[in-house]
Amino acid sequence: MSILVTGGRGAVARGLCAHLDAHGVPYRLGSRERGTPGAVHCDLTDPSTFPGALAGVRSVFLYAEAAGIDAFVKEAVTAGVEHVVLPSSSSVLAPDAAGSPLSASHLAVEQALSASPLRTTLLRPGSFAGNAQGWAWSVKSGRPVHLPYPGAYCDPVHEADLAEAAFAVLTDPALAGRAATRAGPTSSPGPPWSPRGPGPRRYPRPWASPSGSSSRPGRRPAPRCRPSCRSRSWRAPWGSSAIRCPPN
């Protein structure tokens, strides 16, 4: 079995590669940068790089890039790829997903894969725990963390958990072909001393761990969104139950 892992610089892909290495599972790392050590050139916006990257591959961990998805699907089918695992986004489940900058690209990739003969597994995380790293400077310096809707519920998933789920579905055929919403262990609002209601707030003490841990109730990073949908996402009552893949 040969696996192509795209998006190799991301935290999830790095975690997945670590699992594959630890279990002796052969894989090929794809990089959009030419000459990357230990990687094959695979630019998901450049179809000319697809044949070489997909040769001999049977499974793909595919970064959600919509620009060349139709060409990628066509080449994957030609190359004999059997299974694609897509780290998508739970935002595609929203009624207005097609018109949202946050979810439109993920939705386009999901639809292209679903319309193809490729067996597809969709992993749909919400907020990533690692996004709280953006607060590191404020936390370390003792300055306030600025949040527009600190009372919103959120259940972030750690990137390492998503990498473990990806490894499970790539190596166990019984888990493939599903759509799974991935979330953290609990859903919590902002800190108990935070005032409720909309509008920006400044807190005399930061309330987010710089590690972005998703295992500490009451300390949840707010979701990082693109500017055009950031306010709406922060305002939403985040927190839904997760559909988890069984452990490998």
Side-chain angles (χ1 to χ4, degrees), residues 1 3 20 25 59 83 85 119 121 164-178 245-248:
M1 175 180 62
I3 299 172
L20 295 171
V25 179
S59 297
H83 182 209
V85 176
R119 191 178 192 190
T121 302
E164 186 175 353
F167 173 78
V169 297
L170 280 167
T171 55
D172 186 348
L175 300 177
R178 306 180 185 182
C245 297
N248 189 40

Side-chain angles (χ1 to χ4, degrees), residues 83-212:
H83 182 209
V84 175
V85 176
L86 178 72
S88 184
S89 169
S90 62
S91 65
V92 301
L93 301 175
D96 60 346
S100 167
L102 176 66
S103 56
S105 60
H106 291 90
L107 183 61
V109 176
E110 282 198 12
Q111 291 173 336
L113 290 171
S114 297
S116 78
L118 298 169
R119 191 178 192 190
T120 301
T121 302
L122 304 174
L123 299 178
R124 293 168 172 162
S127 173
F128 280 134
N131 287 350
Q133 294 285 357
W135 299 347
W137 183 87
S138 295
V139 173
K140 291 176 181 178
S141 64
R143 298 176 66 86
V145 172
H146 298 259
L147 298 174
Y149 296 96
Y153 279 75
C154 192
D155 49 2
V157 61
H158 198 286
E159 291 85 342
D161 292 335
L162 193 63
E164 186 175 353
F167 173 78
V169 297
L170 280 167
T171 55
D172 186 348
L175 300 177
R178 306 180 185 182
T181 300
R182 302 289 300 178
T186 59
S187 177
S188 301
W193 60 84
S194 64
R196 300 302 186 204
R201 298 289 186 272
R202 298 181 75 253
Y203 296 97
R205 298 179 63 184
W207 59 278
S209 166
S211 67

Side-chain angles (χ1 to χ4, degrees), residues 4 6 44 60-65 69 72 84-87 109 113:
L4 173 66
T6 67
L44 294 177
V60 179
F61 179 77
L62 181 64
Y63 183 79
E65 172 56 67
I69 186 57
F72 187 90
V84 175
V85 176
L86 178 72
V109 176
L113 290 171

